[in-house]
Coordinates of all heavy atoms in Angstrom, one line a residue:
Chain B
L278 N 17.1 34.1 -27.4 CA 17.3 35.5 -27.2 C 18.5 35.7 -26.3 O 19.3 36.6 -26.5 CB 16.0 36.1 -26.5 CG 16.1 37.6 -26.4 CD1 16.0 38.3 -27.7 CD2 15.0 38.1 -25.4
A279 N 18.6 35.0 -25.2 CA 19.7 35.1 -24.3 C 21.0 34.8 -25.0 O 22.0 35.5 -24.8 CB 19.6 34.2 -23.1
A280 N 21.0 33.8 -25.9 CA 22.2 33.5 -26.7 C 22.6 34.7 -27.5 O 23.8 35.1 -27.7 CB 22.0 32.3 -27.5
G281 N 21.6 35.3 -28.1 CA 21.8 36.5 -29.0 C 22.4 37.6 -28.2 O 23.4 38.3 -28.6
Y282 N 21.9 37.9 -27.0 CA 22.4 38.9 -26.1 C 23.9 38.6 -25.8 O 24.7 39.5 -25.8 CB 21.6 39.0 -24.8 CG 20.4 39.9 -24.9 CD1 19.6 39.9 -26.0 CD2 20.1 40.8 -23.8 CE1 18.5 40.8 -26.0 CE2 19.0 41.6 -23.8 CZ 18.2 41.6 -24.9 OH 17.1 42.4 -24.9
A283 N 24.2 37.3 -25.4 CA 25.5 37.0 -25.1 C 26.5 37.2 -26.3 O 27.6 37.6 -26.2 CB 25.6 35.5 -24.6
G284 N 25.9 36.8 -27.5 CA 26.7 37.0 -28.7 C 27.0 38.5 -28.9 O 28.1 38.8 -29.4
A285 N 26.0 39.3 -28.6 CA 26.2 40.8 -28.8 C 27.3 41.2 -27.9 O 28.2 42.0 -28.3 CB 24.9 41.5 -28.5
A286 N 27.3 40.7 -26.6 CA 28.4 41.1 -25.7 C 29.8 40.7 -26.2 O 30.7 41.4 -26.2 CB 28.1 40.5 -24.3
G287 N 29.8 39.5 -26.8 CA 31.1 39.0 -27.3 C 31.5 39.9 -28.5 O 32.7 40.2 -28.6
A288 N 30.6 40.2 -29.4 CA 30.9 41.0 -30.5 C 31.4 42.4 -30.0 O 32.4 42.9 -30.6 CB 29.7 41.2 -31.4
L289 N 30.8 43.0 -29.0 CA 31.3 44.2 -28.5 C 32.7 44.1 -28.0 O 33.6 45.0 -28.2 CB 30.4 44.7 -27.3 CG 29.1 45.3 -27.6 CD1 28.3 45.6 -26.4 CD2 29.3 46.6 -28.5
L290 N 33.0 43.0 -27.3 CA 34.4 42.8 -26.8 C 35.3 42.8 -28.0 O 36.4 43.4 -27.9 CB 34.4 41.4 -26.1 CG 35.8 41.1 -25.4 CD1 36.0 42.0 -24.3 CD2 35.9 39.7 -25.0
A291 N 35.0 42.0 -29.0 CA 35.9 41.9 -30.1 C 36.1 43.2 -30.8 O 37.2 43.6 -31.1 CB 35.4 40.9 -31.1
Q292 N 35.0 44.0 -31.0 CA 35.1 45.2 -31.7 C 35.8 46.3 -30.9 O 36.5 47.1 -31.5 CB 33.7 45.6 -32.1 CG 33.0 44.7 -33.1 CD 31.6 45.1 -33.5 OE1 31.0 45.8 -32.8 NE2 31.1 44.6 -34.6
T293 N 35.6 46.4 -29.7 CA 36.1 47.5 -28.9 C 37.5 47.2 -28.4 O 38.3 48.2 -28.1 CB 35.2 47.9 -27.7 OG1 35.0 46.7 -26.9 CG2 33.9 48.4 -28.2
T294 N 37.9 46.0 -28.2 CA 39.2 45.7 -27.7 C 40.2 45.2 -28.8 O 41.4 45.0 -28.6 CB 39.2 44.7 -26.5 OG1 38.7 43.4 -27.1 CG2 38.3 45.1 -25.4
Q295 N 39.6 44.9 -29.9 CA 40.3 44.4 -31.0 C 41.1 43.1 -30.7 O 42.1 42.7 -31.4 CB 41.4 45.4 -31.5 CG 40.8 46.2 -32.7 CD 40.2 47.5 -32.2 OE1 40.8 48.2 -31.3 NE2 39.1 47.8 -32.7
I296 N 40.6 42.4 -29.7 CA 41.3 41.1 -29.4 C 40.2 40.0 -29.2 O 39.2 40.2 -28.6 CB 42.0 41.2 -28.0 CG1 43.0 42.4 -28.0 CG2 42.8 39.9 -27.7 CD1 43.6 42.6 -26.6
V297 N 40.5 38.8 -29.8 CA 39.8 37.7 -29.5 C 40.7 36.6 -29.1 O 41.8 36.5 -29.7 CB 38.8 37.1 -30.6 CG1 37.6 38.0 -30.7 CG2 39.6 37.0 -31.9
S298 N 40.4 35.8 -28.2 CA 41.3 34.7 -27.8 C 40.5 33.4 -27.5 O 39.3 33.5 -27.2 CB 42.1 35.1 -26.6 OG 41.2 35.5 -25.5
L299 N 41.1 32.3 -27.6 CA 40.4 31.0 -27.4 C 39.8 30.9 -26.0 O 38.9 30.1 -25.8 CB 41.3 29.8 -27.7 CG 41.7 29.7 -29.1 CD1 42.8 28.6 -29.3 CD2 40.5 29.3 -29.9
D300 N 40.4 31.6 -25.0 CA 39.9 31.4 -23.6 C 38.5 32.0 -23.4 O 37.9 31.8 -22.4 CB 40.9 32.0 -22.6 CG 40.8 33.5 -22.6 OD1 39.8 34.1 -22.2 OD2 41.8 34.1 -23.1
L301 N 37.9 32.6 -24.5 CA 36.6 33.1 -24.4 C 35.6 32.0 -24.2 O 34.5 32.1 -23.7 CB 36.2 33.9 -25.6 CG 36.9 35.2 -25.8 CD1 36.5 35.9 -27.1 CD2 36.6 36.2 -24.6
F302 N 36.0 30.7 -24.7 CA 35.1 29.6 -24.5 C 35.3 28.8 -23.2 O 34.6 27.9 -23.0 CB 35.3 28.6 -25.7 CG 34.9 29.2 -27.0 CD1 35.8 29.6 -27.9 CD2 33.5 29.3 -27.4 CE1 35.4 30.2 -29.1 CE2 33.1 29.8 -28.6 CZ 34.1 30.3 -29.5
D303 N 36.4 29.2 -22.5 CA 36.7 28.4 -21.3 C 35.6 28.3 -20.3 O 34.8 29.2 -20.1 CB 38.0 29.1 -20.6 CG 39.3 28.6 -21.2 OD1 39.2 27.8 -22.2 OD2 40.3 29.0 -20.7
F304 N 35.7 27.3 -19.5 CA 34.8 27.1 -18.4 C 34.9 28.3 -17.4 O 33.9 28.7 -16.9 CB 35.2 25.8 -17.7 CG 34.4 25.6 -16.4 CD1 33.1 25.1 -16.5 CD2 34.9 25.9 -15.2 CE1 32.3 24.9 -15.4 CE2 34.1 25.7 -14.0 CZ 32.8 25.2 -14.1
H305 N 36.1 28.8 -17.3 CA 36.3 30.0 -16.5 C 35.4 31.1 -16.8 O 34.8 31.7 -15.9 CB 37.7 30.5 -16.8 CG 38.6 30.7 -15.6 ND1 38.3 31.8 -14.8 CD2 39.6 30.1 -15.1 CE1 39.2 31.8 -13.8 NE2 40.0 30.7 -13.9
R306 N 35.2 31.3 -18.0 CA 34.3 32.5 -18.4 C 32.8 32.2 -18.0 O 32.1 33.1 -17.6 CB 34.3 32.6 -20.0 CG 35.7 33.1 -20.5 CD 35.8 34.6 -20.4 NE 37.1 35.0 -20.8 CZ 37.5 36.2 -21.0 NH1 36.6 37.2 -20.8 NH2 38.7 36.6 -21.4
S307 N 32.4 30.9 -18.3 CA 31.0 30.6 -17.9 C 30.9 30.7 -16.4 O 29.8 31.2 -15.9 CB 30.7 29.2 -18.4 OG 30.7 29.1 -19.8
A308 N 31.9 30.2 -15.7 CA 31.8 30.3 -14.2 C 31.8 31.8 -13.7 O 31.1 32.2 -12.8 CB 32.9 29.5 -13.6
D309 N 32.7 32.6 -14.4 CA 32.8 34.0 -13.9 C 31.5 34.7 -14.1 O 31.0 35.5 -13.2 CB 33.9 34.7 -14.8 CG 35.3 34.5 -14.2 OD1 35.4 33.8 -13.1 OD2 36.2 34.9 -14.9
V310 N 30.8 34.5 -15.3 CA 29.6 35.3 -15.5 C 28.5 34.8 -14.5 O 27.6 35.6 -14.1 CB 29.1 35.1 -17.0 CG1 28.6 33.8 -17.3 CG2 28.1 36.2 -17.3
L311 N 28.5 33.5 -14.2 CA 27.6 33.0 -13.2 C 27.8 33.7 -11.9 O 26.9 34.1 -11.2 CB 27.7 31.5 -13.1 CG 26.8 30.7 -12.2 CD1 25.4 30.9 -12.6 CD2 27.1 29.2 -12.2
L312 N 29.1 33.8 -11.5 CA 29.4 34.4 -10.3 C 28.9 35.9 -10.2 O 28.4 36.3 -9.3 CB 30.9 34.5 -10.1 CG 31.6 33.4 -9.2 CD1 31.3 32.0 -9.7 CD2 33.0 33.6 -9.0
M313 N 29.2 36.6 -11.3 CA 28.8 38.0 -11.4 C 27.3 38.1 -11.2 O 26.8 39.0 -10.4 CB 29.1 38.6 -12.8 CG 30.6 38.8 -13.0 SD 30.8 39.6 -14.6 CE 32.4 39.0 -15.0
L314 N 26.5 37.2 -11.8 CA 25.1 37.3 -11.7 C 24.6 37.0 -10.3 O 23.8 37.6 -9.7 CB 24.4 36.4 -12.7 CG 22.9 36.4 -12.7 CD1 22.4 37.8 -13.1 CD2 22.3 35.4 -13.7
I315 N 25.3 36.0 -9.7 CA 24.9 35.6 -8.3 C 25.2 36.7 -7.3 O 24.5 37.0 -6.4 CB 25.6 34.3 -7.9 CG1 25.2 33.1 -8.8 CG2 25.4 34.0 -6.5 CD1 23.7 32.8 -8.7
I316 N 26.4 37.3 -7.5 CA 26.8 38.4 -6.6 C 25.8 39.6 -6.7 O 25.4 40.1 -5.7 CB 28.2 38.9 -7.0 CG1 29.3 37.8 -6.6 CG2 28.6 40.2 -6.2 CD1 30.7 38.1 -7.1
G317 N 25.4 39.9 -7.9 CA 24.5 41.0 -8.1 C 23.1 40.7 -7.8 O 22.3 41.5 -7.5
G318 N 22.8 39.4 -7.9 CA 21.4 38.9 -7.6 C 20.7 38.7 -8.9 O 20.6 39.5 -9.8
A319 N 20.1 37.5 -9.0 CA 19.4 37.1 -10.3 C 18.0 37.4 -10.2 O 17.4 37.3 -9.1 CB 19.7 35.6 -10.5
G320 N 17.4 37.7 -11.3 CA 15.9 37.8 -11.4 C 15.3 39.2 -11.5 O 14.2 39.3 -11.8
Y321 N 16.1 40.2 -11.3 CA 15.6 41.6 -11.5 C 16.3 42.4 -12.5 O 16.1 43.6 -12.6 CB 15.5 42.3 -10.1 CG 16.9 42.6 -9.5 CD1 17.3 43.9 -9.5 CD2 17.6 41.7 -8.9 CE1 18.5 44.3 -8.9 CE2 18.8 42.0 -8.3 CZ 19.3 43.3 -8.3 OH 20.5 43.6 -7.8
L322 N 17.1 41.8 -13.3 CA 17.7 42.3 -14.5 C 18.9 43.3 -14.2 O 19.7 43.5 -15.1 CB 16.7 43.0 -15.5 CG 15.7 42.1 -16.1 CD1 14.9 42.8 -17.1 CD2 16.4 40.9 -16.8
Y323 N 18.9 43.9 -13.1 CA 20.0 44.8 -12.8 C 21.2 44.1 -12.2 O 22.3 44.6 -12.1 CB 19.6 46.0 -11.9 CG 18.9 47.1 -12.6 CD1 17.5 47.1 -12.6 CD2 19.6 48.1 -13.3 CE1 16.8 48.1 -13.3 CE2 18.9 49.1 -13.9 CZ 17.5 49.1 -14.0 OH 16.9 50.1 -14.6
G324 N 20.9 42.9 -11.7 CA 21.9 42.1 -10.9 C 23.2 41.8 -11.7 O 24.3 41.8 -11.2
G325 N 23.0 41.6 -13.0 CA 24.1 41.3 -13.9 C 25.1 42.4 -13.9 O 26.3 42.2 -13.8
I326 N 24.6 43.6 -14.2 CA 25.4 44.8 -14.4 C 26.1 45.1 -13.0 O 27.3 45.4 -12.9 CB 24.6 46.0 -14.9 CG1 23.9 45.6 -16.2 CG2 25.5 47.2 -15.1 CD1 22.8 46.5 -16.6
I327 N 25.3 45.1 -12.0 CA 25.8 45.4 -10.6 C 26.9 44.4 -10.3 O 28.0 44.7 -9.8 CB 24.7 45.4 -9.6 CG1 23.8 46.6 -9.9 CG2 25.3 45.5 -8.2 CD1 22.5 46.7 -9.0
G328 N 26.6 43.1 -10.5 CA 27.5 42.1 -10.1 C 28.8 42.2 -10.9 O 29.9 42.0 -10.4
A329 N 28.7 42.5 -12.2 CA 29.8 42.7 -13.1 C 30.7 43.8 -12.5 O 31.9 43.7 -12.5 CB 29.4 42.9 -14.5
A330 N 30.1 44.9 -12.2 CA 30.9 46.0 -11.6 C 31.6 45.6 -10.4 O 32.8 45.9 -10.2 CB 29.9 47.2 -11.4
I331 N 30.9 45.0 -9.4 CA 31.5 44.6 -8.2 C 32.7 43.6 -8.5 O 33.8 43.8 -8.0 CB 30.5 43.9 -7.3 CG1 29.4 44.9 -6.8 CG2 31.2 43.3 -6.0 CD1 28.3 44.3 -6.0
F332 N 32.4 42.6 -9.3 CA 33.4 41.6 -9.6 C 34.6 42.2 -10.2 O 35.7 41.9 -9.7 CB 32.7 40.6 -10.6 CG 33.6 39.4 -10.9 CD1 33.5 38.2 -10.1 CD2 34.4 39.4 -12.0 CE1 34.3 37.1 -10.5 CE2 35.2 38.3 -12.3 CZ 35.1 37.2 -11.6
I333 N 34.4 43.0 -11.2 CA 35.6 43.5 -11.9 C 36.4 44.5 -11.1 O 37.6 44.5 -11.0 CB 35.2 44.2 -13.3 CG1 34.7 43.0 -14.2 CG2 36.3 45.0 -13.9 CD1 34.2 43.5 -15.5
V334 N 35.7 45.4 -10.4 CA 36.3 46.3 -9.5 C 37.1 45.6 -8.4 O 38.3 45.9 -8.1 CB 35.3 47.4 -8.9 CG1 36.0 48.2 -7.8 CG2 34.8 48.3 -10.0
L335 N 36.4 44.7 -7.8 CA 37.1 43.9 -6.7 C 38.3 43.2 -7.3 O 39.4 43.2 -6.6 CB 36.1 42.8 -6.2 CG 35.4 43.0 -4.9 CD1 34.5 41.8 -4.6 CD2 36.3 43.3 -3.8
R336 N 38.2 42.6 -8.5 CA 39.3 41.9 -9.0 C 40.5 42.9 -9.2 O 41.6 42.5 -8.9 CB 38.9 41.3 -10.4 CG 40.0 40.4 -11.0 CD 39.7 40.1 -12.4 NE 39.7 41.3 -13.2 CZ 39.1 41.3 -14.4 NH1 38.5 40.3 -14.9 NH2 39.2 42.5 -15.1
D337 N 40.2 44.0 -9.8 CA 41.3 45.0 -10.0 C 41.9 45.4 -8.6 O 43.1 45.5 -8.5 CB 40.7 46.2 -10.7 CG 40.7 46.0 -12.2 OD1 40.9 44.8 -12.6 OD2 40.5 46.9 -13.0
V338 N 41.1 45.7 -7.7 CA 41.6 46.2 -6.4 C 42.4 45.1 -5.7 O 43.5 45.3 -5.3 CB 40.4 46.6 -5.5 CG1 40.8 46.7 -4.0 CG2 39.8 47.9 -5.9
I339 N 41.8 43.9 -5.6 CA 42.5 42.8 -4.9 C 43.8 42.4 -5.7 O 44.8 42.1 -5.1 CB 41.6 41.6 -4.7 CG1 40.4 42.1 -3.8 CG2 42.3 40.5 -4.1 CD1 39.5 40.9 -3.5
S340 N 43.6 42.4 -7.0 CA 44.8 42.0 -7.8 C 46.0 42.9 -7.6 O 47.1 42.4 -7.6 CB 44.4 41.9 -9.3 OG 43.5 40.8 -9.5
S341 N 45.7 44.2 -7.5 CA 46.9 45.0 -7.3 C 47.5 44.8 -6.0 O 48.7 45.1 -5.8 CB 46.4 46.5 -7.5 OG 45.3 46.8 -6.7
A342 N 46.7 44.4 -5.0 CA 47.3 44.2 -3.7 C 47.9 42.8 -3.6 O 49.1 42.6 -3.3 CB 46.2 44.2 -2.6
T343 N 47.2 41.8 -3.9 CA 47.7 40.4 -3.9 C 47.3 39.7 -5.2 O 46.3 39.0 -5.2 CB 47.1 39.6 -2.7 OG1 45.7 39.6 -2.8 CG2 47.5 40.2 -1.4
P344 N 48.1 39.8 -6.2 CA 47.7 39.4 -7.6 C 47.2 37.9 -7.6 O 46.3 37.6 -8.3 CB 48.9 39.6 -8.4 CG 50.0 40.0 -7.5 CD 49.4 40.5 -6.3
E345 N 48.0 37.0 -7.0 CA 47.6 35.6 -7.2 C 46.4 35.2 -6.3 O 45.9 34.1 -6.5 CB 48.8 34.7 -6.8 CG 50.1 35.1 -7.3 CD 50.8 36.0 -6.3 OE1 51.0 35.7 -5.2 OE2 51.0 37.2 -6.7
Y346 N 46.0 36.0 -5.4 CA 45.1 35.5 -4.4 C 43.7 36.0 -4.5 O 42.8 35.7 -3.7 CB 45.6 35.7 -3.0 CG 47.0 35.1 -2.8 CD1 48.1 35.8 -2.3 CD2 47.3 33.8 -3.2 CE1 49.3 35.3 -2.2 CE2 48.5 33.2 -3.1 CZ 49.5 34.0 -2.6 OH 50.8 33.4 -2.5
W347 N 43.4 36.8 -5.5 CA 42.1 37.3 -5.6 C 41.1 36.2 -5.8 O 39.9 36.3 -5.3 CB 42.0 38.4 -6.7 CG 41.5 37.9 -8.0 CD1 42.3 37.3 -8.9 CD2 40.2 37.9 -8.5 NE1 41.5 36.9 -10.0 CE2 40.2 37.3 -9.7 CE3 39.0 38.4 -8.0 CZ2 39.1 37.2 -10.5 CZ3 37.9 38.3 -8.8 CH2 37.9 37.7 -10.0
E348 N 41.5 35.2 -6.5 CA 40.7 34.0 -6.7 C 40.2 33.5 -5.3 O 39.0 33.0 -5.2 CB 41.5 32.9 -7.3 CG 41.1 32.7 -8.8 CD 41.9 31.5 -9.3 OE1 42.8 30.9 -8.6 OE2 41.6 31.1 -10.5
F349 N 41.1 33.5 -4.3 CA 40.7 33.0 -3.0 C 39.5 33.8 -2.5 O 38.6 33.2 -1.9 CB 41.9 33.1 -2.1 CG 41.6 32.7 -0.7 CD1 41.7 31.4 -0.3 CD2 41.3 33.7 0.3 CE1 41.4 31.0 1.0 CE2 41.0 33.3 1.6 CZ 41.1 32.0 1.9
W350 N 39.6 35.1 -2.6 CA 38.5 35.9 -2.0 C 37.2 35.7 -2.7 O 36.1 35.7 -2.1 CB 39.0 37.4 -1.9 CG 40.1 37.5 -1.0 CD1 41.4 37.8 -1.3 CD2 40.1 37.3 0.4 NE1 42.2 37.8 -0.2 CE2 41.5 37.5 0.9 CE3 39.1 37.0 1.4 CZ2 41.8 37.5 2.2 CZ3 39.5 36.9 2.7 CH2 40.8 37.2 3.1

Side-chain angles (χ1 to χ4, degrees):
Chain B
L278 185 70
Y282 271 43
L289 281 177
L290 183 72
Q292 293 177 342
T293 56
T294 63
Q295 267 93 45
I296 307 172
V297 285
S298 53
L299 291 172
D300 72 72
L301 292 178
F302 294 104
D303 271 6
F304 175 78
H305 228 286
R306 294 273 176 175
S307 296
D309 278 353
V310 71
L311 183 59
L312 262 60
M313 287 183 209
L314 183 61
I315 297 297
I316 291 173
Y321 66 106
L322 294 186
Y323 280 97
I326 306 165
I327 293 174
I331 295 177
F332 185 90
I333 290 175
V334 168
L335 261 183
R336 186 193 64 199
D337 277 9
V338 164
I339 296 180
S340 288
S341 53
T343 58
E345 315 87 59
Y346 305 127
W347 94 277
E348 254 184 355
F349 175 84
W350 294 110

